[in-house]
Amino acid sequence: EVQLVESGGGLVQPGRSLKLSCAASGFTFSNYYMAWVRQAPKKGLEWVATISTSGSRTYYPDSVKGRFTISRDNAKSSLYLQMNSLKSEDTATYYCARHSLLLGALFDYWGQGVMVTVSS
Amino acid sequence: DIQMTQSPASLSASLGETVTIECRASEDIYNGLAWYQQKPGKSPQLLIYNANSLHTGVPSRFSGSGSGTQYSLKINSLQSEDVASYFCQQYYNYPYTFGAGTKLELK
């Protein structure tokens, strides 16, 4: 069974940093592109970052480019999101998600999410 | 960026009814479209991919259609467990973008 379990969320002041982690199990982690997707309270979904299987390629939307860094450790089946210079608008539930291997760049499994609150 | 315009924002329907949710892309996305269901307090789950293909384990009362810039999700014979929010997502091009969502409630 595919499982994605996020951790590391919490309350952080504007301008500070936070690192999220995602522990993956139930599949060969190193074979899949992985991603982070966030959802602000009572709002829609926003793709935040994607990383290739080896970690050599990363992709971000303009809203987080230069502030967020996605990384992975295939030996530990773990995904990370380093978030710097946090803003109030980064307040959201952050989901770890797996990109489909065969169906295109959609997200076929999601974690339960971790809440990040940016506030003074 | 490709903008995804989803409608309606909310929908109220009766058990057994058929409902349709629309999603319009700001440019051709060549069927690179997925639909997700998100139940209250849960994470999204994939329903449909490539605009019209049913993901494994999804009930056959769900179906997707469309092409170019216009896509739709249809739910036949609405069940109580279908109460949820539904989101479309284009994965044709970066940045991947989502529709704002449709909240489906029972009448």
Side-chain angles (χ1 to χ4, degrees):
Chain A
E1 179 193 3
V2 172
Q3 285 202 320
L4 300 168
V5 180
E6 303 94 338
S7 60
L11 174 64
V12 60
Q13 293 179 327
R16 304 298 291 264
S17 299
L18 197 65
K19 186 172 185 177
L20 305 181
S21 300
C22 171
S25 61
F27 64 103
T28 304
F29 181 74
S30 58
N31 286 351
Y32 289 81
Y33 276 48
M34 297 295 296
W36 291 95
V37 179
R38 69 184 179 185
Q39 185 171 34
K42 308 289 188 187
K43 298 291 187 182
L45 299 162
E46 181 186 16
W47 165 71
V48 170
T50 285
I51 188 166
S52 64
T53 51
S54 66
S56 61
R57 285 169 290 175
T58 57
Y59 308 86
Y60 308 92
D62 287 344
S63 58
V64 306
K65 194 177 294 182
R67 298 188 301 123
F68 289 12
T69 302
I70 188 172
S71 62
R72 66 191 297 161
D73 184 336
N74 286 340
K76 295 182 178 179
S77 294
S78 293
L79 180 72
Y80 307 100
L81 185 68
Q82 176 68 46
M83 304 183 291
N84 298 332
S85 303
L86 282 161
K87 307 174 182 180
S88 59
E89 51 263 42
D90 296 319
T91 294
T93 295
Y94 284 74
Y95 295 100
C96 170
R98 190 182 84 169
H99 277 290
S100 172
L101 190 62
L102 300 174
L103 307 179
L106 48 84
F107 309 105
D108 61 358
Y109 285 94
W110 302 60
Q112 85 287 352
V114 63
M115 185 68 200
V116 173
T117 302
V118 183
S119 175
S120 54
Chain B
D1 297 2
I2 298 174
Q3 308 302 317
M4 303 301 293
T5 303
Q6 189 173 337
S7 61
S10 62
L11 184 53
S12 182
S14 303
L15 291 174
E17 207 174 313
T18 294
V19 301
T20 300
I21 299 169
E22 307 279 349
C23 200
R24 185 181 78 248
S26 58
E27 61 184 81
D28 196 329
I29 57 172
Y30 300 93
N31 282 21
L33 184 102
W35 289 97
Y36 300 90
Q37 177 192 64
Q38 185 178 31
K39 295 185 178 180
K42 301 293 187 182
S43 56
Q45 291 194 307
L46 177 64
L47 294 175
I48 301 284
Y49 63 94
N50 291 353
N52 56 25
S53 297
L54 207 61
H55 186 50
T56 306
V58 175
S60 59
R61 62 180 181 274
F62 291 90
S63 63
S65 63
S67 63
T69 62
Q70 300 276 3
Y71 299 88
S72 61
L73 171 70
K74 186 164 76 170
I75 310 173
N76 287 317
S77 189
L78 188 69
Q79 305 294 304
S80 57
E81 60 263 34
D82 300 335
V83 169
S85 291
Y86 293 84
F87 297 90
C88 61
Q89 178 227 340
Q90 70 81 17
Y91 51 95
Y92 171 69
N93 207 356
Y94 286 111
Y96 305 133
T97 46
F98 292 86
T102 295
K103 188 174 183 179
L104 175 59
E105 298 175 325
L106 282 179
K107 193 179 291 182

